[in-house]
Amino acid sequence: MIVEIDPEASVPPYEQLRTQIAALIRSGELEVGTRLPSIRQLAGDLGLASGTVARAYRELESAGYVRGRVGQGTVVRAAPELAERERGERLTEAARAYATAARELGADLDSALAAVRRQFGG
């Protein structure tokens, strides 16, 4: 599992981690049944506090992406179907984070939109 945390980003580290793991699950890169690294191990690998990783894992579990069991670790579940309202809320969150990052890079609106279009393949 490859995730990267940007300590300079305006998005908190737990949210960066949660978003990236959820994306890996939705894309199928993390398959159902895959065991995630322990909180302690991932925290050490990423240079984060254990509480930061634990919060990301808790939020992933409450959203239905993973299942945590004492002694068995945290395991990937099938990506949950999102209700239209939740999808809209998450899209708004993602857009806000992207707009903030684009502004921090000094990009104008046209450049930022062009980057999104390239990622969509069009």
Side-chain angles (χ1 to χ4, degrees), residues 79-108:
E81 291 293 321
L82 298 178
E84 190 62 35
R85 179 173 174 241
E86 185 175 358
R87 180 173 304 151
E89 289 172 357
R90 287 192 181 184
L91 184 59
T92 298
E93 289 174 30
R96 184 178 300 118
Y98 177 68
T100 299
R103 277 190 217 101
E104 288 172 356
L105 292 170
D108 62 16

Side-chain angles (χ1 to χ4, degrees), residues 2-88:
I2 299 174
V3 294
E4 295 179 5
I5 303 301
D6 179 0
E8 303 298 319
S10 60
V11 178
Y14 80 89
E15 182 62 20
Q16 292 180 53
L17 183 58
R18 185 202 64 78
T19 301
Q20 291 178 53
I21 293 174
L24 290 169
I25 293 169
R26 280 193 308 276
S27 72
E29 290 182 56
L30 279 176
E31 296 178 4
V32 173
T34 301
R35 189 172 173 184
L36 297 182
S38 70
I39 290 170
R40 184 177 295 165
Q41 177 186 346
L42 189 56
D45 291 349
L46 297 174
L48 298 172
S50 293
T52 299
V53 175
R55 181 171 180 184
Y57 277 18
R58 276 193 312 271
E59 291 195 9
L60 287 164
E61 186 169 14
S62 70
Y65 285 97
V66 299
R67 175 184 39 116
R69 296 270 196 253
V70 175
Q72 297 177 3
T74 303
V75 179
V76 173
R77 297 177 63 185
E81 291 293 321
L82 298 178
E84 190 62 35
R85 179 173 174 241
E86 185 175 358
R87 180 173 304 151

